[in-house]
Amino acid sequence: MKSTTKTLCGLSLLAPLAMAQSAEAKQRPNILFFLVDDFGWTETSLPFGEETYPNNMRFHTPNMERLAKRSVMMTNAYACPVSTPTRTGLMTGMNAAHMGITSFVSLCKDVVPDAIGGHPGSTNENLDDAFAHPEWNHNALCPVAFQNEAEIYGLNHTFYATPLPELLRNAGYHTIHVGKAHWAPVGTPGSNPYTMGFVVNIAGSGNGHPKSYLPEDNFGNLPKQGDYSSVQNMSQYYGTKIHLTEALTRMALRTLEHPIQQNIPFFLYLAHHATHTPVQSDERFIQKYRDAGMDEGMARYASMVEGMDKSLGDVLDFLEEKGIADNTIIIFYSDNGGFSIGNEKGGVPHTQNLPLREGKASVYEGGIRVPLMFCWPGKISADTRINTPVSTEDLFPTLLEMAGVKSYETVQTTDGESLVRLVTAGSKAVKKAMERGEITTQKQANAYVLPESVTGIDPERELVFHYPHQYRYEDQDDIDFLSAIRKGDWKLVYRMHTSELELYNLREDIGERNNVAAKYPQRVASMAKSLGNKLRGWNAPMPTVRATGKKVAMPDEL
Amino acid sequence: MKSTTKTLCGLSLLAPLAMAQSAEAKQRPNILFFLVDDFGWTETSLPFGEETYPNNMRFHTPNMERLAKRSVMMTNAYACPVSTPTRTGLMTGMNAAHMGITSFVSLCKDVVPDAIGGHPGSTNENLDDAFAHPEWNHNALCPVAFQNEAEIYGLNHTFYATPLPELLRNAGYHTIHVGKAHWAPVGTPGSNPYTMGFVVNIAGSGNGHPKSYLPEDNFGNLPKQGDYSSVQNMSQYYGTKIHLTEALTRMALRTLEHPIQQNIPFFLYLAHHATHTPVQSDERFIQKYRDAGMDEGMARYASMVEGMDKSLGDVLDFLEEKGIADNTIIIFYSDNGGFSIGNEKGGVPHTQNLPLREGKASVYEGGIRVPLMFCWPGKISADTRINTPVSTEDLFPTLLEMAGVKSYETVQTTDGESLVRLVTAGSKAVKKAMERGEITTQKQANAYVLPESVTGIDPERELVFHYPHQYRYEDQDDIDFLSAIRKGDWKLVYRMHTSELELYNLREDIGERNNVAAKYPQRVASMAKSLGNKLRGWNAPMPTVRATGKKVAMPDEL
């Protein structure tokens, strides 16, 4: 994949600036990025939708509710369908299709057993009868500072970029990684948070899920059972009663003591493994879900969700106790939608994200629409909702602007836009509309459109989602080989297998049940053209049709 | 074990001091503590003895020689017989017998298979026919800040202390741990470098050796092979050609970039796993040892030694490139003597540390005499030798004084003495003696006694070594159940199994071949009394005689 250089204001970050920036840095806000894994949009008692859905009522997340009172909730926030594209997009500010990182690395062992046994790089599924899987950057992300080292070892199919934590660290931030990294497979520099510019790493590696959340399993480090997914840096909690989510939280708060004591601004990237499979109860919370009559899988899953929520509460308490809550930005996010093709987490497969269609790995809303909140004391109007669609690639420029990093260089061309004006001026505009009585209900809040003149973000801006892969052994029609583009209320889904284009109006049909493509052929053509142009422009990975040896057609070439 | 409170100058380190100290901290020297594992006193081409022994000639350590040109070499430096007592002593400033931490934790699996399978704490050998093993603090060290957490989980047989890195961190140091920790078994807070006050941890845990040094083994993280000794935080190097020693070095230097850029003083504790077993070649260096006709085990071991030495050289190069060599103190040390009871490293068992007697785990010189150098630009006279006996417990107050930390509180009562005056004024006195022509040979240098009036350290000070354990399944007469005390040139060894007291004059008999106890009964009695008093005063662990149910007699009670 080709990289280009971008200088935001013509100044590079030269070494002599570091000292001056360091002095400035002391005035800068702390940033706490709270990232949850495979956590669905409706899997919380905090409803992001225009109404409270039955799914919302199954979960207890009081600390998300508490955070929402201090935050602006983004009701149309997106991520990529799977983990690695979202996580690398956070590091680079780019769309997954543009990076060529469209699937996850270190494939789960039910797809390719022993995929990471002793060799660098990743392997990829190639299981479909009709399509050969695309060439993509299956070694995912490598910080450009490690390009030479990577090339010595023959690393290919890799995207080189200047990662976000490096820019923050250079600006004087104490950058801390806790939890799941998953930017690149083991055996490559990108699997290591220290190469990304993190000053501290707890547990981050190439693994996409923990071998075990349970202390009695030593989090996967039992003799002769360990592998790349065994959780690292957790030896203190082996054999205790402390669930991984709690253990990561304690470690995260511990790492904050030093920068707080020394008055150094911190960037804490607290990336929980929860609520990814394996579904393993958090015993502190499970009983009430069983008592509520949930099936065992759902009770376990709900307890993991509440464990994650407890972590958030502990973080909020800690910031308050330390007296730094008012100078700490909190961003709450999930890396993709809730898992939906099995019943490990209870319920009926393909329904766990209702009213959203499907779940993780799909470009239907269940796979990509995620909770997102910004808590920015003094800068945003709290307890508000913004419905402007935003996505992963926006967070890179947003965080840098929040951190006051005005000049920086990246080797990659970023795709996202800073959301700072959207969440500051936008939330204030919403608050005024609430005070004027224009917004009195959740439904009205979710429907209130903020103009670009106020927010700097065009509400009709196009967002692209691209998953040119097969997810599992078995075909998943609503997941495999799909692309989508959203523009305003409209969403076009391209089903490559069947060469179909579907059109949905998300305002009227959030569940994507009513394909209105036949009714709006011009809109379909126009959106297909936009999607095709984006994918072509990015040289996005596309599968090959086995019968013809040609690449699958772009959506505007059908 | 009982803890007491000690206030060095009546001031506790209050939080408001932190900021002021932080400003001061910028003027402070960096400290790089380079710790090698199981690395014997003669296993280097840099001779610490009064002559160059045949063993010295087998190894190539050009970077130790390079460092020595800038350092003061301590020719009578000691450690404990095994790893955990030395490493915890470094953290606490205490003698092992005083802490009750007299053996190593997470026992190697050939002693107790699956000893750490899923439960906290450690187990211990109890294999001797005559003696039951002593009550000792087999859960080793726990930072006192984590005492509550430890007690919730019922942790017992634990020594609570205020660890060195916490004091340095509180004084504004960026404290970094890389490599082997081994202060406490997995499942306890002390196994985690973050509890000790390290800001950064690479790879440190409860393991006492790496499962593998080899990248093709993923350093022990192959599927279904991993366990507690698999090396953590090394995913980047899986499947490459980079030996663990090199990988740890690269990671260590990477972690220095941030404090150097931000002008924060650092304390880097670079604790190599090398040269502990398993003996696995460093392919960069092995061929010349094979060509020299060494047996394969010795060639492999020598390549690991040279790999460690290369790491030292890379560190020296890095400090010079960054322009901070003149403000960085380097301390080179080994945690105990070279392994001597097997032939994994080639040669003939029990002879690998010649002329020293025996090796690791023994209180004979082969087990406890280790290389120690201080490189302190501008403060010491370089390329000098000091023969004053010093030991592990001295390094805690030494490092704090070097760091300019004048007031601190510890819950433990420290045993060591600061060596700052010894290595500064002492090395200058030695240099003058060299200039006057009083010292012209290695032998003269090793014999030159510095008076307490110059160095602050009594050259007749008593040093105690205590190993009331059985080391392996098989009896090791020169290792198991031994204590020793050194005073000046004299050393008394107490062999508990046979109730014997041996006396050696180390000046004349560094190999401890000529027991002169019968010739000097008064000296034996006096030194036995001193040793007994020390052990009683510390309530040191002692084995129990199975036949009587009573504790083994103290050396002055025979």
Side-chain angles (χ1 to χ4, degrees), chain B residues 319-454:
Chain B
L319 297 176
E320 283 164 18
E321 281 161 21
K322 295 287 180 181
I324 58 170
D326 286 346
N327 194 36
T328 302
I329 297 167
I330 302 171
I331 300 163
F332 183 102
Y333 193 47
S334 173
D335 71 339
N336 50 246
F339 186 73
S340 69
I341 66 164
N343 58 6
E344 294 94 316
K345 61 194 252 188
V348 177
H350 311 296
T351 73
Q352 290 106 326
N353 296 297
L354 285 176
L356 305 187
R357 181 166 173 178
E358 204 46 86
K360 179 180 181 180
S362 176
V363 302
Y364 289 109
E365 295 288 295
I368 56 176
R369 192 185 280 233
V370 293
L372 173 63
M373 290 189 269
F374 292 94
C375 168
W376 193 0
K379 298 283 188 176
I380 55 126
S381 281
D383 204 9
T384 53
R385 289 167 173 251
I386 286 179
N387 81 348
T388 307
V390 299
S391 194
T392 305
E393 53 263 43
D394 298 324
L395 293 167
F396 177 101
T398 303
L399 267 68
L400 287 166
E401 187 175 348
M402 286 174 156
V405 182
K406 295 189 179 73
S407 63
Y408 56 90
E409 252 182 30
T410 63
V411 296
Q412 73 273 24
T413 302
T414 55
D415 298 309
E417 293 183 78
S418 170
L419 306 178
V420 164
R421 207 170 135 209
L422 175 65
V423 301
T424 55
S427 67
K428 284 171 191 162
V430 166
K431 196 65 147 191
K432 281 181 190 154
M434 292 165 75
E435 287 162 2
R436 289 193 304 267
E438 291 169 38
I439 300 174
T440 59
T441 67
Q442 209 165 298
K443 186 162 184 170
Q444 286 170 333
N446 276 38
Y448 192 84
V449 178
L450 288 163
E452 185 176 3
S453 58
V454 169

Side-chain angles (χ1 to χ4, degrees), chain A residues 13 15 18-19 21-22 26 109 114 116-120 146 149 153 169-175 185-192 194-195 199-206 211 215-218 220-228 230-242 250-251 254-255 257-259 261-264, chain B residues 13 15 18-19 21-22 26 109 114 116-120 146 149 153 169-175 185-192 194-195 199-206 211 215-218 220-228 230-242 250-251 254-255 257-259 261-264:
Chain A
L13 181 68
M19 278 301 297
Q21 291 214 342
S22 187
K26 301 209 181 251
K109 292 168 69 177
D114 299 337
I116 51 73
H119 56 80
F146 290 82
E149 182 172 321
Y153 289 96
R169 189 193 64 184
N170 286 344
Y173 272 81
H174 189 75
T175 51
V186 297
T188 75
S191 67
N192 181 349
Y194 288 110
T195 70
V199 174
V200 177
N201 169 41
I202 310 281
S205 182
K211 189 164 180 71
E216 58 263 40
D217 294 341
N218 293 355
N221 293 283
L222 288 174
K224 307 237 175 196
Q225 293 186 26
D227 62 27
Y228 76 106
S230 306
V231 186
Q232 304 189 334
N233 304 127
M234 290 289 130
S235 68
Q236 173 177 355
Y237 301 108
Y238 295 179
T240 66
K241 300 288 184 191
I242 298 173
R250 290 191 188 192
M251 293 289 285
R254 188 176 307 154
T255 66
E257 282 167 13
H258 172 68
Q261 187 200 44
Q262 298 294 326
N263 202 26
I264 305 168
Chain B
L13 182 69
M19 278 300 295
Q21 292 214 339
S22 187
K26 298 204 185 257
K109 292 169 72 177
D114 298 336
I116 52 73
H119 57 81
F146 290 82
E149 183 172 319
Y153 289 96
R169 188 192 64 186
N170 287 344
Y173 273 80
H174 189 76
T175 51
V186 297
T188 76
S191 68
N192 181 347
Y194 288 110
T195 70
V199 174
V200 176
N201 169 41
I202 311 279
S205 183
K211 190 166 181 68
E216 57 264 39
D217 294 340
N218 294 354
N221 294 283
L222 288 174
K224 308 238 176 200
Q225 294 187 27
D227 62 26
Y228 77 106
S230 306
V231 186
Q232 304 190 334
N233 304 128
M234 290 289 131
S235 67
Q236 173 178 354
Y237 301 109
Y238 294 178
T240 66
K241 300 286 183 191
I242 298 174
R250 291 191 187 192
M251 293 289 284
R254 190 176 305 155
T255 65
E257 284 167 12
H258 173 67
Q261 187 199 46
Q262 298 295 323
N263 202 25
I264 305 168

Side-chain angles (χ1 to χ4, degrees), chain B residues 41-299:
Chain B
W41 191 65
T42 62
E43 294 175 333
T44 160
S45 55
L46 176 70
F48 281 78
E50 61 179 25
E51 60 182 284
T52 301
Y53 304 115
N55 233 10
N56 294 123
M57 296 182 205
R58 300 200 285 183
F59 294 92
H60 294 274
T61 56
N63 292 295
M64 286 181 68
E65 296 174 48
R66 173 182 169 196
L67 180 63
K69 296 280 180 211
R70 297 169 47 199
S71 300
V72 49
M73 292 171 65
M74 310 302 286
T75 57
N76 281 271
Y78 288 94
C80 305
V82 292
S83 169
T84 300
T86 296
R87 288 164 193 268
T88 53
L90 291 172
M91 295 294 117
T92 65
M94 295 179 71
N95 188 284
H98 192 181
M99 292 185 289
I101 303 174
T102 42
S103 187
F104 55 96
V105 295
S106 295
L107 290 176
C108 47
K109 292 169 72 177
D110 54 350
V111 176
V112 184
D114 298 336
I116 52 73
H119 57 81
S122 177
T123 54
N124 193 23
E125 74 273 64
N126 199 359
L127 304 163
D128 190 59
D129 291 333
F131 291 170
H133 82 277
E135 289 273 306
W136 65 290
N137 279 329
H138 60 251
N139 282 320
L141 182 61
C142 181
V144 68
F146 290 82
Q147 184 164 359
N148 285 346
E149 183 172 319
E151 287 177 354
I152 287 169
Y153 289 96
L155 202 65
N156 53 23
H157 291 92
T158 302
F159 185 76
Y160 295 99
T162 309
L164 176 68
E166 182 181 315
L167 296 170
L168 290 172
R169 188 192 64 186
N170 287 344
Y173 273 80
H174 189 76
T175 51
I176 304 166
H177 180 275
V178 178
K180 171 173 165 177
H182 207 214
W183 306 296
V186 297
T188 76
S191 68
N192 181 347
Y194 288 110
T195 70
M196 288 283 165
F198 282 105
V199 174
V200 176
N201 169 41
I202 311 279
S205 183
N207 57 328
H209 62 85
K211 190 166 181 68
S212 172
Y213 286 95
L214 303 182
E216 57 264 39
D217 294 340
N218 294 354
F219 311 114
N221 294 283
L222 288 174
K224 308 238 176 200
Q225 294 187 27
D227 62 26
Y228 77 106
S229 65
S230 306
V231 186
Q232 304 190 334
N233 304 128
M234 290 289 131
S235 67
Q236 173 178 354
Y237 301 109
Y238 294 178
T240 66
K241 300 286 183 191
I242 298 174
H243 192 274
L244 178 59
T245 302
E246 166 77 1
L248 288 170
T249 307
R250 291 191 187 192
M251 293 289 284
L253 298 184
R254 190 176 305 155
T255 65
L256 292 184
E257 284 167 12
H258 173 67
I260 291 170
Q261 187 199 46
Q262 298 295 323
N263 202 25
I264 305 168
F266 62 78
F267 170 58
L268 170 59
Y269 179 92
L270 174 47
H272 275 294
H273 276 293
T275 58
H276 200 294
T277 53
V279 178
Q280 294 176 310
S281 323
D282 193 319
E283 294 298 324
R284 297 173 295 175
F285 303 109
I286 193 167
Q287 195 54 45
K288 69 165 160 287
Y289 299 102
R290 287 179 177 143
D291 293 346
M294 283 188 183
D295 72 46
E296 180 63 15
M298 175 55 78

Side-chain angles (χ1 to χ4, degrees), chain A residues 100-130:
Chain A
I101 303 173
T102 42
S103 189
F104 53 96
V105 294
S106 294
L107 291 176
C108 46
K109 292 168 69 177
D110 54 351
V111 176
V112 184
D114 299 337
I116 51 73
H119 56 80
S122 177
T123 53
N124 192 26
E125 73 273 67
N126 200 358
L127 305 161
D128 191 60
D129 292 335

Side-chain angles (χ1 to χ4, degrees), chain A residues 58-318:
Chain A
R58 301 200 284 183
F59 294 92
H60 294 274
T61 56
N63 291 296
M64 287 181 68
E65 296 174 48
R66 172 182 169 195
L67 180 63
K69 295 282 181 210
R70 297 169 47 198
S71 300
V72 49
M73 294 170 64
M74 310 303 286
T75 58
N76 282 270
Y78 289 95
C80 306
V82 292
S83 169
T84 301
T86 296
R87 288 164 194 266
T88 52
L90 290 172
M91 294 296 117
T92 64
M94 294 180 71
N95 189 284
H98 192 181
M99 293 185 287
I101 303 173
T102 42
S103 189
F104 53 96
V105 294
S106 294
L107 291 176
C108 46
K109 292 168 69 177
D110 54 351
V111 176
V112 184
D114 299 337
I116 51 73
H119 56 80
S122 177
T123 53
N124 192 26
E125 73 273 67
N126 200 358
L127 305 161
D128 191 60
D129 292 335
F131 291 170
H133 82 278
E135 287 273 308
W136 65 290
N137 279 328
H138 60 252
N139 282 321
L141 182 61
C142 181
V144 68
F146 290 82
Q147 184 164 357
N148 285 347
E149 182 172 321
E151 287 177 353
I152 286 170
Y153 289 96
L155 201 67
N156 54 23
H157 291 93
T158 303
F159 186 76
Y160 294 99
T162 309
L164 176 68
E166 181 181 316
L167 297 170
L168 291 171
R169 189 193 64 184
N170 286 344
Y173 272 81
H174 189 75
T175 51
I176 303 166
H177 180 275
V178 179
K180 172 174 166 178
H182 206 213
W183 306 296
V186 297
T188 75
S191 67
N192 181 349
Y194 288 110
T195 70
M196 289 283 166
F198 283 104
V199 174
V200 177
N201 169 41
I202 310 281
S205 182
N207 58 329
H209 62 85
K211 189 164 180 71
S212 172
Y213 286 95
L214 303 182
E216 58 263 40
D217 294 341
N218 293 355
F219 312 113
N221 293 283
L222 288 174
K224 307 237 175 196
Q225 293 186 26
D227 62 27
Y228 76 106
S229 65
S230 306
V231 186
Q232 304 189 334
N233 304 127
M234 290 289 130
S235 68
Q236 173 177 355
Y237 301 108
Y238 295 179
T240 66
K241 300 288 184 191
I242 298 173
H243 192 274
L244 179 60
T245 302
E246 167 76 1
L248 288 170
T249 306
R250 290 191 188 192
M251 293 289 285
L253 298 184
R254 188 176 307 154
T255 66
L256 292 184
E257 282 167 13
H258 172 68
I260 292 170
Q261 187 200 44
Q262 298 294 326
N263 202 26
I264 305 168
F266 63 78
F267 170 58
L268 170 59
Y269 179 91
L270 174 47
H272 275 295
H273 276 293
T275 58
H276 200 295
T277 53
V279 178
Q280 294 176 308
S281 321
D282 193 320
E283 294 299 322
R284 296 173 296 175
F285 303 110
I286 194 168
Q287 195 54 46
K288 69 166 162 286
Y289 299 102
R290 287 179 176 141
D291 293 346
M294 282 188 184
D295 71 45
E296 181 63 14
M298 175 55 78
R300 287 182 183 166
Y301 185 70
S303 79
M304 287 175 71
V305 169
E306 191 165 348
M308 173 281 293
D309 182 81
K310 172 66 162 59
S311 167
L312 178 63
D314 290 345
V315 167
L316 296 176
D317 290 346
F318 178 87

